[in-house]
Amino acid sequence: MSLSHVVIAPMLVALVTAIVTLLTRSRPTLQGGLSLLGVVGYAVAVAVLVGDVLSETVLTYQLSNWAAPFGITLVADALSAFMLVLAAVVSLAALAFSVIYVNSYGQRVSYHPLFHFMLVGVTGSFLTGDIFNLFVWFEVMLMPSYVFVVFYSGKAHTSAALKYTVLNLIGSAVMLVAIGGLYSTTGTLNMADMTRRLLAAEEYGIDPAPVLGLAALLFAVFALKAGIVPFQFWVPEAYSAAPAPITAVLAGVTKKVGVYAIIRLYFTVFAAATLPEGLGLPGLSGTSFLAFFGPVMFLMALGSIFLGGFGAVSRPDLDGVFAYSSIGQVGFIVLPLAVGATVPAVRSLAIVAALVYSLNHAIAKSLLFLVSGTVDDAVGAITFDDIGGLTGEMPVLSAGFFVGSLALIGIPPLTGFFGKLLVFQVASDATIAGGNGATLALAAALAGAILTIAYLSRAWKEGFWGETTGAVEGATATPGLVAVVVGLATLLVVVGVGFDPVYQVANAAADAALARTDYVRAVGLEVSS
């Protein structure tokens, strides 16, 4: 197998697994085993791809051997490889949990094929080299998620699914309009080709002003997919409605697809464009597109941190706390990107911070949602009025929750410590460099960290500590579910203790995101001198 063919391997493994599990629906045991084997194979394919990417820098695959920009291009660099590792880890844990957690009837109702089709969409989104196919892979990812949100078919689930579906369909329509507009103004949808055209906009006869407007429209769609304020309103209901392992994937993986799209398009592609006459907008200065998107991201990050934090503090149940926490935590991911967009001196570090924080959030938040699912499976409730004293009946599960909480808070030596430290470092370095709003970013990060301590301490006190309630007394957690939780908790510790390789890969990913010329040439195109 040539290196170029390795690029498509994870997608093919997920697609074949989806088809095989669909054909074996009548044999549940075989289907579950094949599904698990498929996700392990996916993780192996990702590992092979990552190894080749780290040694070869950028790998490409041209479908049907049609050269870019006319054919469909798949691109694997350190940035996409980093995100694929994140997807593989969470998906493996979620599916192992699903085989035990979801009842036999639920698994027969196309649970496994839908899971792997969703993974196909996620993988395609991380690997695609053109914007239209990003739209296509988004839809492949979203369609199974619509079914998963309404999976239990109750009134609340149907309501959540209806809102989730309608909002995402509207977002998809807006995305398609923006993509059509970009094709009309730039003459291409290939990301590498669009990058080189924007670098020489005058040579290609491109007016940057409409490109900026269309990029802003597209940004709103990615913000919706990532659940960033003010597009966060679908998150709490959808996360509470879906099965626990699916919620772990929604929070840990699919939300990161929106984050990835922001980094890839706005720091690689649209950052190549400038407005020679300046932005001409009140309170904004500079000629770079990022000079516009930086302040926008900054306001959205602040809104996410505080709305998510205060919302989590007031929730009456575990899923509510974790759902609003996800809104707040994505604010921590976007905050360094906002600072990096406006202060070029810290741009590379800002992307590293966002990636490391994304990795920690993906693992820790997946762990916490799986803890919630395990508690619900054992006790039949997750509201704080009905649970309490879980540490006495389920000490190992409680330890898993404790580790996940400490990771989100940012206690060393867990991964979250390094993610939060890097966010603070970005804000601090930007302040020293005289960046506008950097001091406010530092203050917001500190306030958000305090809110994280507050709502997770409350969840620990009311759900795990204290006197054992009647519902909890005598309850026993399923060993297999606890084992998955322990595995993720152990991973948080291991990755934190051995953080240096993670940092090196994240740093390579940041370099890949900013190396526009290398990205263009890797696809087989030339950059005008």
Side-chain angles (χ1 to χ4, degrees), residues 133-216:
N133 278 285
L134 180 63
F135 164 78
V136 172
W137 293 120
F138 262 52
E139 294 307 298
V140 173
M141 175 185 71
L142 286 170
M143 283 188 287
S145 71
Y146 300 150
V147 180
F148 281 131
V149 174
V150 76
F151 190 76
Y152 290 123
S153 304
K155 182 178 179 180
H157 310 96
T158 304
S159 174
L162 182 61
K163 294 176 184 176
Y164 176 69
T165 303
V166 169
L167 285 171
N168 276 285
L169 288 177
I170 293 172
S172 296
V174 172
M175 184 177 182
L176 200 56
V177 169
I179 290 171
L182 286 170
Y183 181 70
S184 176
T185 53
T186 65
T188 186
L189 293 175
N190 183 283
M191 294 180 190
D193 194 28
M194 188 177 292
T195 301
R196 71 167 182 168
R197 286 169 179 253
L198 291 175
L199 282 168
E202 188 174 347
E203 178 183 337
Y204 287 97
I206 298 173
D207 182 359
V211 177
L212 176 60
L214 293 164

Side-chain angles (χ1 to χ4, degrees), residues 169-463:
L169 288 177
I170 293 172
S172 296
V174 172
M175 184 177 182
L176 200 56
V177 169
I179 290 171
L182 286 170
Y183 181 70
S184 176
T185 53
T186 65
T188 186
L189 293 175
N190 183 283
M191 294 180 190
D193 194 28
M194 188 177 292
T195 301
R196 71 167 182 168
R197 286 169 179 253
L198 291 175
L199 282 168
E202 188 174 347
E203 178 183 337
Y204 287 97
I206 298 173
D207 182 359
V211 177
L212 176 60
L214 293 164
L217 199 61
L218 201 59
F219 184 85
V221 177
F222 297 145
L224 173 67
K225 308 299 184 185
I228 307 169
V229 168
F231 305 103
Q232 83 297 336
F233 33 80
W234 60 270
V235 172
E237 284 189 85
Y239 282 14
S240 297
I246 297 303
T247 303
V249 175
L250 292 177
V253 179
T254 63
K255 176 172 281 204
K256 304 307 182 299
V257 174
V259 173
Y260 167 80
I262 290 172
I263 296 173
R264 172 63 75 202
L265 286 177
Y266 295 86
F267 286 84
T268 303
V269 180
F270 295 129
T274 58
L275 288 167
E277 303 300 324
L279 293 173
L281 295 171
L284 298 178
S285 61
T287 60
S288 169
F289 275 23
L290 287 179
F292 169 79
F293 286 108
V296 171
M297 284 191 281
F298 185 73
L299 292 175
M300 296 172 80
L302 291 185
S304 298
I305 288 172
F306 289 108
L307 187 148
F310 284 115
V313 167
S314 62
R315 292 305 96 186
D317 61 287
L318 289 175
D319 277 356
V321 170
F322 301 154
Y324 274 91
S325 169
S326 288
I327 297 171
Q329 295 299 309
V330 80
F332 274 102
I333 295 171
V334 176
L335 185 63
L337 295 178
V339 175
T342 54
V343 185
V346 299
R347 191 163 293 169
S348 179
L349 182 63
I351 296 176
V352 172
L355 292 175
V356 172
Y357 208 102
S358 293
L359 177 64
N360 177 69
H361 178 259
I363 301 173
K365 188 54 61 67
S366 298
L367 183 157
L368 293 177
F369 275 116
L370 295 185
V371 167
S372 177
T374 306
V375 171
D376 190 33
D377 179 71
V379 181
I382 56 172
T383 56
F384 295 131
D385 288 341
D386 297 322
I387 62 175
L390 286 167
T391 52
E393 302 294 331
M394 308 174 194
V396 178
L397 182 67
S398 300
F401 172 86
F402 192 67
V403 171
S405 298
L406 293 182
L408 280 187
I409 291 170
I411 302 298
L414 302 174
T415 321
F417 167 74
F418 298 101
K420 198 149 286 185
L421 179 65
L422 287 167
V423 171
F424 280 110
Q425 185 179 346
V426 169
S428 176
D429 289 356
T431 301
I432 295 171
N436 292 331
T439 303
L440 180 58
L442 194 59
L446 179 59
I450 294 171
L451 284 171
T452 304
I453 295 172
Y455 61 70
L456 288 174
S457 297
R458 172 174 173 262
W460 172 259
K461 176 179 177 294
E462 297 192 15

